Every structure is written in structure tokens, then in C-alpha cells.
Amino acid sequence: MMPNTSLNADCLCGGVRIEISGRIGPLVYCHCSRCRKASGTAFGANADVRRKYWKIVAGEDLIREFESSPGVFRGFCSRCGSPIYSRRPDAPDVYRLRLGLLNDDPGRRSLAHFWVGSKATWFEITDALPQFAAGPAEHEEELAAIFKGR
């Protein structure tokens, strides 16, 4: 499956619309408590997008940000509440897109489940994807092996 390099995304009310003109990063499922609370579900489905590929075509004035932890800002639509992205000032060239906004198939599938050490007790992971107790930074060697196999 070839990754889609032209994607459209919008929030629930359609007020915020985004065009992505390049390949998005690996798709991951994050089970940390912040992603669960921000999404209102068992996990967040996210992928990094380089800023040069990211264009807000409508609704930039609707986006508000919340600093959910030191140095992590979560953008959301102020009209409908849809989560849009997260960003870090220490990585200014990357947005982490909330994949539920996509209207197109990105041509990629999830790489792994992260932060399963804090996943919702009521949710059972039933797929065969690798599961990591913490985040990507804590599992660099294991992830390198996964990337090598893809």
C-alpha cells in the first residue's frame, strides 16, 4: 500500500480544515492518560506531520491550545472541541496530527501501541501490534528492529 501524500482533514463542525501535502510519519496508538482524556476514548491515534507539509486552509481563528504538560500544547477546535494536534516548542517543525480528523486513507497502518502501562483498565488490546509499556524514547532499539522489518 502506497502512503497518500495529499490528505485532507477537518474537525467535527468543519470549521477547521487542514491540507497535508507530504507523507505523514508512522501511525501510533498512545494509551497514556493524557491522550485518553484528550480524546475521550481508550487511546489516541496519532502521526507526526512536518510543518512544511501542514496547511490550515480554514478555521485557524477557531484553534485554541492547552498546555497539557510542561512543553506539550494540544490544539483543539473552540467551536466543536475536536482535538486537532499536539506540538512541542522544542520540536517546532512537527505537529502530531489526531488521525480521526483525516478524510482520506493515509496509506499507512499503525506501528505499535505505546504507554500500555497506563492504558484504560476497561480496554483490551486484541490486535497483534507490538505493545510498549512506555513511549518511543524508552524503546529505541526495539523500534529500530520494527522499522527495519517494514
Side-chain angles (χ1 to χ4, degrees), residues 24-32 35 39 41-49 86 95-100 102 106 108-116 125 127 129-132 134-137 139 143 146-147 150:
I24 65 174
L27 281 61
V28 298
Y29 299 141
C30 181
H31 294 266
C32 79
C35 280
S39 68
T41 189
F43 55 87
N46 311 305
D48 287 350
V49 178
S86 67
Y95 284 106
R96 180 156 292 155
L97 174 68
R98 303 307 178 228
L99 295 172
L102 289 176
R108 302 184 92 169
R109 298 299 176 255
S110 184
L111 175 70
H113 292 271
F114 289 101
W115 292 105
V116 297
I125 299 171
D127 61 43
L129 292 173
Q131 297 180 29
F132 299 100
H139 298 284
L143 287 172
I146 291 170
F147 278 120
R150 288 194 169 200

Side-chain angles (χ1 to χ4, degrees), residues 3-7 19-25 48-50 52-54 106:
N4 193 339
T5 57
S6 178
L7 301 169
E19 289 178 359
I20 299 166
S21 61
R23 187 174 182 199
I24 65 174
D48 287 350
V49 178
R50 291 183 184 165
K52 68 182 181 181
Y53 300 144
W54 178 280

Side-chain angles (χ1 to χ4, degrees), residues 30-106:
C30 181
H31 294 266
C32 79
S33 63
R34 289 182 307 275
C35 280
R36 287 189 289 112
K37 290 178 185 291
S39 68
T41 189
F43 55 87
N46 311 305
D48 287 350
V49 178
R50 291 183 184 165
R51 180 175 229 138
K52 68 182 181 181
Y53 300 144
W54 178 280
K55 180 179 179 187
I56 298 174
V57 295
E60 188 165 10
D61 59 319
L62 293 173
I63 297 175
R64 300 293 179 271
E65 290 188 335
F66 169 71
E67 189 171 11
S68 61
S69 56
V72 178
F73 294 86
R74 294 174 180 270
F76 62 94
C77 175
S78 62
R79 185 185 306 155
C80 67
S82 292
I84 308 291
Y85 62 81
S86 67
R87 67 174 184 85
R88 295 174 175 266
D90 62 355
D93 294 329
V94 176
Y95 284 106
R96 180 156 292 155
L97 174 68
R98 303 307 178 228
L99 295 172
L101 300 177
L102 289 176
N103 297 318
D104 306 301
D105 183 347

